[in-house]
Amino acid sequence: MRAYQYLVQLDIKGLPVDPFAIVKNEPNIYLCSWTELRKTHRVTDPYNLKRNGADAKVQIIRGTSDYLIVFDDTIKSRERIRWTIAHEIGHILLGHLVYYEETALNRGGLTEEQYGTLEVEAHWFAEALLAPTAVLYQFKICDPKEIALLCDISLDAAEESAKHVRNYQVKVQHLEMTLVRNFFRFFYTQKHLQSIANGIFRYCGRRQYKGVYKICRICRNCRAYISDPGQKYCHVCGQQIANPDDGKGLPRIGKYYPHIDTREDGRILYCPVCKNHSFSNQATVCEECGTALGNICLHETTLLSGIYRYCPNCGNMTSFEETGLYDLIEEPNLPDLLTFKQGSYQDYIEYEYWEYIIASCYYANMDLYTALANSKAIRDEGNFVIFATDFDSAKTIQKHKDFLIRQIREYGQTMVTDVELIYKRF
């Protein structure tokens, strides 16, 4: 709970979490490496880290309320150093040096039971800070290699984290809901795949690349993220996916492409043309406008999900791409707020939790969910302006405005007093 509170307090909304940056922004916590202390103080083994076989030590600086973390920078594992610093931050935030001030975490002054308790608490804090289980569970990240690359932790630590994700049960609902809200855009726009790709480039190198590179590849042609290990062709442009082992490498920066939501049976959740979502069990096309309800490979005639603009097996165009449905869902641009309506909205900012608010309507109000698709929201204090894609969507949003306000207050944890609707596409 304390680690989750800290993530919210620091307004951290993406992975990996950087413990070095955390310490740098904490006015009463100082960080120093063993090598640096050895040079500046001209001692053989500062704080006896080597003699005690310790990775780090934290102490209250005498006569102050400040803390000093000393870590062994000769450890070859970057992930282990990151974990160690998070562990020491845990000792500080959990009050271990205050409640056990007579020892300042010097093991000699603690009983085995006390020492073990403090170490276990700091260990759990480090995991919750660097690999928050509530977030990984919510966004279905449970493969150890994926967790290790995404969270920048060791594979051993990631395997333990994966076990906790698989056995996860909600413990502190309000905190976990806040974390999911904060991290939603990071996962929704596939920035987590960029973090995984960064991890591959950072740690794996050419000798180890072969074993993990398929966790996240980036198309050389359109830079789409490829997270399906068995995929042969890019689902966005249809080009054959490159193998990093051919010596040419892959792009380092990927690009997010929106997709059409489909159900487990392959049918679309709602029609992207007319927003209809009431389909009979036998229907193969939308009864309102005739749009096909399934995405078919035009060569293999297989049913595919809505992420595939081109078939991942043969590279041929899909029916959704042929009929131009993806053009309807490309992210609309906000108007120039400095000139729109004589600058009436120039003080507004884009609402960062809008995708999460839309997702929160999925089970509770499908009419509103479909009407909000591809919309944008800006706000100034408690006043919201929603840019809907068409007149009918705006009319539906207006009809459910009170419900939407409740969703913003509950799930967005944001004050809202009024909602204005604009439906012209920009």
Side-chain angles (χ1 to χ4, degrees), residues 63 195 221 421:
S195 289
N221 184 53
L421 284 159

Side-chain angles (χ1 to χ4, degrees), residues 146-397:
E146 195 171 356
I147 292 174
L149 293 167
L150 173 61
C151 300
D152 200 359
I153 60 178
S154 70
L155 187 56
D156 287 342
E159 287 172 349
E160 286 299 310
S161 176
K163 292 178 185 177
H164 301 150
V165 172
R166 289 192 291 268
N167 299 321
Y168 172 73
Q169 292 181 341
V170 175
K171 293 181 177 63
V172 193
Q173 187 171 5
H174 68 283
L175 265 179
E176 292 163 345
M177 182 185 293
T178 303
L179 281 181
V180 171
R181 180 204 67 173
N182 288 357
F183 280 85
F184 189 87
R185 176 172 281 191
F186 175 73
F187 285 89
Y188 178 82
T189 57
Q190 298 185 326
K191 291 180 182 177
H192 69 292
L193 292 179
Q194 184 63 61
S195 289
I196 291 172
N198 293 344
I200 291 173
F201 281 109
R202 185 168 54 241
Y203 292 118
C204 298
R206 289 299 170 207
R207 287 178 295 179
Q208 299 176 353
Y209 213 99
K210 188 175 182 180
V212 298
Y213 77 85
K214 284 190 176 182
I215 293 176
C216 178
R217 293 168 287 174
I218 297 175
C219 175
R220 287 179 183 164
N221 184 53
C222 69
R223 296 194 291 116
Y225 297 109
I226 313 294
S227 58
D228 181 356
Q231 198 167 325
K232 299 176 183 177
Y233 293 88
C234 176
H235 58 282
V236 173
C237 69
Q239 296 295 308
Q240 189 170 4
I241 300 172
N243 185 335
D245 294 332
D246 64 9
K248 296 180 180 179
L250 292 176
R252 287 183 175 267
I253 306 297
K255 181 180 178 182
Y256 164 67
Y257 288 88
H259 62 276
I260 296 173
D261 291 331
T262 50
R263 306 187 309 190
E264 290 185 3
D265 63 5
R267 295 208 307 176
I268 56 179
L269 292 179
Y270 61 89
C271 176
V273 175
C274 68
K275 302 292 183 72
N276 175 37
H277 59 85
S278 300
F279 311 124
S280 66
N281 293 333
Q282 296 77 27
T284 58
V285 298
C286 174
E287 285 112 338
E288 296 290 334
C289 67
T291 300
L293 300 183
N295 190 24
I296 306 294
C297 170
L298 298 180
H299 176 67
E300 299 179 342
T301 66
T302 52
L303 183 63
L304 301 170
S305 84
I307 71 168
Y308 295 112
R309 306 180 184 206
Y310 291 82
C311 177
N313 298 314
C314 68
N316 281 272
M317 186 180 292
T318 64
S319 56
F320 282 2
E321 174 69 11
E322 182 186 45
T323 53
L325 294 187
Y326 294 102
D327 294 336
L328 299 176
I329 63 169
E330 292 295 341
E331 190 171 356
N333 293 321
L334 286 171
D336 183 352
L337 301 182
L338 295 177
T339 58
F340 182 64
K341 286 193 174 182
Q342 290 76 49
S344 301
Y345 301 107
Q346 61 180 317
D347 294 328
Y348 282 65
I349 59 172
E350 185 178 357
Y351 184 50
E352 62 179 325
Y353 305 125
W354 190 237
E355 294 93 348
Y356 182 56
I357 296 301
I358 295 174
S360 74
C361 297
Y362 174 70
Y363 290 106
N365 191 325
M366 194 64 177
D367 286 340
L368 183 57
Y369 175 78
T370 57
L372 291 173
N374 307 314
S375 65
K376 284 292 179 183
I378 58 176
R379 74 181 182 101
D380 179 21
E381 299 296 334
N383 299 315
F384 274 70
V385 178
I386 298 174
F387 295 85
T389 55
D390 52 65
F391 172 75
D392 289 335
S393 294
K395 189 166 65 172
T396 301
I397 296 170

Side-chain angles (χ1 to χ4, degrees), residues 10-264:
L10 296 176
D11 201 32
I12 291 175
K13 298 175 180 176
L15 299 170
V17 174
D18 185 354
F20 289 91
I22 289 176
V23 172
K24 186 176 181 180
N25 288 294
E26 284 287 1
N28 67 327
I29 302 178
Y30 298 90
L31 185 66
C32 190
S33 71
W34 181 85
T35 301
E36 182 181 355
L37 272 184
R38 193 166 182 246
K39 290 180 179 177
T40 56
H41 287 66
R42 297 182 179 180
V43 293
T44 305
D45 185 10
Y47 287 88
N48 297 316
L49 290 190
K50 296 293 187 181
R51 188 181 71 179
N52 295 330
D55 290 349
K57 186 174 183 180
V58 59
Q59 284 192 329
I60 297 178
I61 300 175
R62 185 177 299 175
T64 73
S65 58
D66 297 335
Y67 298 89
L68 173 65
I69 298 174
V70 181
F71 69 98
D72 185 357
D73 58 326
T74 65
I75 296 173
K76 293 182 179 180
S77 170
R78 169 188 161 88
E79 304 100 310
R80 183 174 162 185
I81 290 176
R82 283 170 36 80
W83 184 281
T84 296
I85 294 172
H87 180 102
E88 302 305 324
I89 293 172
H91 280 309
I92 296 171
L93 293 185
L94 295 172
H96 292 169
L97 277 74
V98 175
Y99 298 121
Y100 295 85
E101 61 184 351
E102 73 277 9
T103 67
L105 289 188
N106 181 342
R107 183 173 183 175
L110 293 170
T111 67
E112 287 293 329
E113 183 179 1
Q114 286 176 326
Y115 180 78
T117 298
L118 300 188
E119 286 301 294
V120 168
E121 287 183 359
H123 173 82
W124 277 101
F125 178 94
E127 179 177 320
L129 185 72
L130 298 180
T133 306
V135 173
L136 299 179
Y137 172 84
Q138 182 66 37
F139 297 104
K140 298 179 174 58
I141 308 295
C142 56
D143 177 78
K145 289 183 178 178
E146 195 171 356
I147 292 174
L149 293 167
L150 173 61
C151 300
D152 200 359
I153 60 178
S154 70
L155 187 56
D156 287 342
E159 287 172 349
E160 286 299 310
S161 176
K163 292 178 185 177
H164 301 150
V165 172
R166 289 192 291 268
N167 299 321
Y168 172 73
Q169 292 181 341
V170 175
K171 293 181 177 63
V172 193
Q173 187 171 5
H174 68 283
L175 265 179
E176 292 163 345
M177 182 185 293
T178 303
L179 281 181
V180 171
R181 180 204 67 173
N182 288 357
F183 280 85
F184 189 87
R185 176 172 281 191
F186 175 73
F187 285 89
Y188 178 82
T189 57
Q190 298 185 326
K191 291 180 182 177
H192 69 292
L193 292 179
Q194 184 63 61
S195 289
I196 291 172
N198 293 344
I200 291 173
F201 281 109
R202 185 168 54 241
Y203 292 118
C204 298
R206 289 299 170 207
R207 287 178 295 179
Q208 299 176 353
Y209 213 99
K210 188 175 182 180
V212 298
Y213 77 85
K214 284 190 176 182
I215 293 176
C216 178
R217 293 168 287 174
I218 297 175
C219 175
R220 287 179 183 164
N221 184 53
C222 69
R223 296 194 291 116
Y225 297 109
I226 313 294
S227 58
D228 181 356
Q231 198 167 325
K232 299 176 183 177
Y233 293 88
C234 176
H235 58 282
V236 173
C237 69
Q239 296 295 308
Q240 189 170 4
I241 300 172
N243 185 335
D245 294 332
D246 64 9
K248 296 180 180 179
L250 292 176
R252 287 183 175 267
I253 306 297
K255 181 180 178 182
Y256 164 67
Y257 288 88
H259 62 276
I260 296 173
D261 291 331
T262 50
R263 306 187 309 190
E264 290 185 3

